[in-house]
Amino acid sequence: QPVVPRETRDLAMATELAQYVAPGFSIRQPARPRVALVAEHGGREGALRTDPHCVLARTVEVPQGKRARLVIDVSHEPKGGWRLAIRVNGTRLADEQVGDQQSDPAWQTLSFDLTDPKGPRPANGKILVEVIHAPRDGQRQAAYWGRLEIITE
């Protein structure tokens, strides 16, 4: 189905747009996010564009004995970059640079283990995953998301 480009500052509509690339995730912050579904970015059809400080969140149940990982496809503005931060149950899991001042937009796939065998695991098996678009060096570059998926194995 073709992508219908749309932009919003409404939190509920932003969560609805996020479903195109991140089923089950909601936009948690900011209260008036600037989120857009774009027809194309970096050669990829259909991408979610966010402004800095946007938080995509999802609570997922991981059955005992199973593992979960987060797979993300991300990109950036031409000659720009941003920071990707990930928290699990409030604890920082990752802080990655996406793009740089010299590069053209390119997509990269990142994978993160959400179930650290050494870390505490909630009794109910539920974990809160927060994926954060953070500014880098005070810049307000847009982030592009092609996929956010939690895989339980």
Side-chain angles (χ1 to χ4, degrees):
Q1 149 178 8
V3 176
V4 177
R6 292 172 279 171
E7 186 170 333
T8 188
R9 286 181 125 353
D10 176 76
L11 194 56
M13 178 61 99
T15 291
E16 184 180 313
L17 294 180
Q19 300 312 296
Y20 185 82
V21 298
F25 280 83
S26 62
I27 304 286
R28 293 271 174 96
Q29 289 178 335
R32 289 186 41 82
R34 188 167 149 224
V35 175
L37 189 58
V38 298
E40 185 274 338
H41 177 77
R44 182 184 200 129
E45 185 179 325
L48 186 72
R49 184 185 72 219
T50 60
D51 276 357
H53 305 293
C54 185
V55 177
L56 293 105
R58 180 176 176 194
T59 299
V60 63
E61 187 170 344
V62 182
Q64 190 66 29
K66 298 283 186 178
R67 303 198 54 78
R69 67 187 163 93
L70 174 65
V71 180
I72 308 175
D73 293 341
V74 291
S75 186
H76 55 89
E77 293 280 358
K79 311 281 189 272
W82 54 282
R83 284 183 29 249
L84 167 67
I86 298 171
R87 290 190 301 235
V88 176
N89 292 332
T91 301
R92 185 175 68 184
L93 174 69
D95 193 337
E96 304 275 334
Q97 299 281 358
V98 178
D100 59 43
Q101 300 303 320
Q102 318 315 305
S103 62
D104 288 329
W107 287 95
Q108 60 187 101
T109 299
L110 303 170
S111 181
F112 303 94
D113 185 353
L114 300 175
T115 46
D116 180 356
K118 295 174 264 161
R121 189 175 198 142
N124 64 4
K126 291 184 179 179
I127 57 173
L128 171 62
V129 180
E130 296 172 293
V131 182
I132 303 139
H133 169 192
R136 186 175 83 187
D137 302 327
Q139 298 179 4
R140 297 196 47 83
Q141 298 286 335
Y144 290 86
W145 311 85
R147 169 177 60 151
L148 283 91
E149 180 179 13
I150 296 176
I151 300 168
T152 304
E153 315 173 295

